[in-house]
């Protein structure tokens, strides 16, 4: 019986680590001390990265295309033609969790990743133009409804 319990607990834990869905709150900390908070949703290589600040924006990475909407006008969605390679690369790294390295070199970016036992706890992104730490907080591996990774309209999501 103890063996069976261990196997069940291991499978649940392993499946949560390899889940195709994750939602986390984040805090971005810039070199000058400025911070921004928000949340992201990631499911099947689709991403929603939303700042809580109403004067900032929401990024959507859907079907290998990047969209942006100002948080104060979420019905005005714009396609970003020449988006940075960083977002799809970070999604690719996540898809390999927990088998990820602690350092990556992606084009002009140096990426450092700190993990805890459950997930990534911090990303450090450095380039000539950027020096940023992103702390991932309150990550959850429950299923995310597709309607929250879409637009027309961008539906409000309440992070639990």
């Amino acid at each position: 019986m103890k063996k069976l319990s261990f196997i069940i607990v291991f499978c649940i834990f392993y499946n949560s680590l390899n889940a195709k869905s994750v939602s986390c709150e984040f805090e971005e900390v810039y070199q000058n001390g400025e911070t921004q908070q928000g949340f992201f949703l990631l499911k099947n290589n689709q991403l929603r990265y939303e700042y809580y600040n109403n004067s900032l924006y929401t990024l959507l990475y859907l079907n290998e295309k990047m969209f942006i909407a100002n948080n104060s006008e979420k019905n005005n969605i714009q396609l970003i033609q020449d988006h940075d390679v960083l977002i799809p690369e970070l999604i690719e790294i996540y898809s390999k969790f927990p088998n990820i390295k602690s350092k990556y070199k992606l084009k002009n970016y140096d990426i450092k990743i700190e993990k805890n036992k459950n997930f990534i706890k911090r990303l450090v992104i450095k380039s000539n133009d950027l020096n940023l730490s992103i702390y991932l907080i309150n990550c959850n591996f429950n299923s995310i409804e597709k309607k929250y990774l879409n637009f027309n309209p961008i539906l409000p999501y309440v992070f639990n």
Side-chain angles (χ1 to χ4, degrees):
M1 187 66 174
K2 285 184 181 181
K3 250 185 183 179
L4 181 60
S5 296
F6 173 76
I7 290 170
I8 291 170
V9 169
F10 176 78
C11 287
I12 290 169
F13 180 72
Y14 184 79
N15 284 337
S16 71
L17 289 177
N18 290 304
K20 294 185 187 228
S21 298
V22 65
S23 59
C24 295
E25 290 182 288
F26 65 80
E27 180 174 57
E28 296 178 345
V29 180
Y30 295 87
Q31 186 175 14
N32 66 3
E34 182 182 333
T35 63
Q36 297 294 340
Q37 292 84 29
F39 70 90
F40 76 86
L41 309 173
L42 180 60
K43 179 179 181 177
N44 298 331
N45 296 329
Q46 305 224 10
L47 173 73
R48 175 175 173 174
Y49 195 88
E50 183 170 333
Y51 291 95
Y52 290 138
N53 186 329
N54 203 39
S55 66
L56 293 176
Y57 52 88
T58 298
L59 285 173
L60 294 164
Y61 184 76
L62 309 169
N63 301 319
E64 299 181 13
K65 294 180 182 173
M66 183 73 72
F67 301 90
I68 190 168
N70 188 301
N71 285 344
S72 63
E73 295 181 51
K74 286 194 177 169
N75 60 345
N76 185 10
I77 294 128
Q78 298 175 6
L79 174 66
I80 300 175
Q81 294 290 347
D82 297 318
H83 65 81
D84 201 317
V85 70
L86 189 59
I87 298 291
E89 294 291 338
L90 289 174
I91 291 171
E92 177 66 23
I93 290 169
Y94 160 73
S95 73
K96 295 177 181 175
F97 187 85
N99 301 316
I100 58 176
K101 300 184 285 186
S102 61
K103 293 182 182 181
Y104 290 87
K105 180 81 172 161
L106 304 172
K107 297 238 178 185
N108 299 322
Y109 297 99
D110 290 320
I111 310 290
K112 291 183 186 176
I113 299 175
E114 295 176 17
K115 301 185 288 186
N116 59 26
K117 64 181 179 175
N118 297 322
F119 193 55
I120 298 166
K121 71 176 184 177
R122 180 177 175 223
L123 293 170
V124 177
I125 302 171
K126 292 184 179 182
S127 72
N128 291 338
D129 302 322
L130 186 65
N131 189 352
L132 163 73
S133 287
I134 303 173
Y135 293 89
L136 304 181
I137 308 158
N138 300 324
C139 293
N140 184 325
F141 300 94
N142 293 335
S143 182
I144 299 167
E145 293 182 55
K146 185 176 180 171
K147 67 182 182 181
Y148 295 117
L149 290 163
N150 211 338
F151 57 87
N152 281 342
I154 296 176
L155 295 175
Y157 183 85
V158 177
F159 191 88
N160 297 333

